[in-house]
Amino acid sequence: MKFSKSLALIFGLLLVAGAAVPAVHAQDATDADEPAFTGHKEKSFKSGAEVSEFQAEVSRLMDIIINSLYSNKDIFLRELISNGSDSLDKIRFLSLTDESVLGSGEEANLDIRIKVDKENGVLSIRDRGVGMTKAELKENLGTIAKSGTSAFLEQMQKGGDMNLIGQFGVGFYSVYLVADFVEVRSKHNSEDKQWIWESKADGAFAISEDEGEPLGRGVEVNIYLKEEAQEYLEEDKLKELVEKYSEFINFPIYLWNSEEVEEDVPLSDEELAEQAAKAEGEEDEEDLEETEENDESEENDEDDDEVEDEDEEELPQTKTVKKTVWDWKTVNDNKAIWLRSSTEVEDDEYTKFYKALSKDDKEPLSYTHFKAEGDVEFKSILFIPEKPPSDLFDNYYNKAAALKLYVRRVFISDEFDELLPKYLSFIKGIVDSDTLPLNVSRETLQQHTSLKTIKKKLVRKALDMIRKLAEEGQDDDEDEEAAVAADDSADEEETKYDKFWKNYGKAIKLGIIEDARSEEHTSELQSPLQSR
């Protein structure tokens, strides 16, 4: 049944503004049939916290998220893990020039940890990344709407898909798909104090000094789940979502996991006495039954007696019991598939990697996986998304390429203009170089001579991928014409290249103009154009 937008909005607002239900712990429940957890809607800010109002567009954004009753709520975990991964990338990059930023002990472990508190209905996600200062908490999570916020709102007004939220840089707010209340605890190396940001998306947020357990460094997000979102407290559900969305995150993801194990424990004194008495009774019965046999064995020599003594079994001193053990368990394979040979990687692995990399729920139109050797060595995987970003031609000449640059598996940046020309900015993927230096700034790296060689090879491979897509499209057209000739009732299907040209044809035409000085590139670009 199709509901009107106004009816859906009213229904959503009624849910958000409904009567609050106080939190009840198991020991306070008066009715044995009532669940221990009933909600967090009355949870409030800490006393003395600095309270601020959300910037207007952020409030509008969260209204849309909260009232998107039919959205895929699972994406919140993907977004928070992605944010944690970005934070870990930043601290690892800083450590290249200053190892002291990592600290020592557990702080030096770059990972993401997920833990649930079923009794109180809280899901926690923790990273040991760069963390946020008090000013950054206020700027990033409340008062200053980034450019992506406006773009996302415009897209939603046109009937956009909530699954695309991460592509607009506003992924954190997806947490309110499942949360009544959110705490963000943060510690940054530049500040001695630890801060906590709190909000239940009702138009205001608060920041105060955090006197809880010291983080050392990084961010912990505590999500007080809605009653209808209690499924996210189940370990199997969380493991399923990590494997689905975040399997290829470049850091280990741990889940506080329980499992039943068998363990040998010593018997108590009472159990030992009971066991001895039981064994003694069984021996008396055996002695009565074997009296005749014993009389016949009197002629046996002493050696036989010694053998019998050796055969006597000692009574067990332990017993096996089952117990529940809690421990951190890795839930992602942490595989850098670009380091493997293309012949060893299956198609579905490329698809899963693309979805984790791009936050896109659709399969790519095409991909290429290659290794460049020679003076400059690097490995790369490039993808053509099925649909272009909504701002593909907005701010065209200031838009950075959608590629992530790694140096020996260390993330450097995803804002390089030098990796691909503007007309190929829709291509997503990664580049991992063994030649570029690690301990340099991004600005210095942009001037590195190896980068020009890398760009030349990337452009060639990207255009070759498009050319092959065009050739496949021509083959499909010929097959379709033959099918139509044989059967006039055959349905016309859109090929992959048809989709590509509809979404990226304008970019190819711009490429012919912009790359006119390169005869090689112009020739490659003419191929897909001629197929139209």
Side-chain angles (χ1 to χ4, degrees), residues 13 35 55 107 133 250 312 334 384 410 452 471 518 525:
L13 292 175
Q55 198 270 350
E107 292 179 32
T133 64
N250 204 29
E312 290 182 1
N334 195 23
I384 300 176
V410 175
K452 295 181 180 179
E471 292 173 354
S518 172
L525 286 165

Side-chain angles (χ1 to χ4, degrees), residues 267 270-280 315-318:
L267 292 173
E270 292 180 358
E271 289 172 325
L272 287 171
E274 181 181 344
Q275 178 180 256
K278 182 179 179 182
E280 185 177 349
L315 296 176
Q317 302 297 307
T318 62

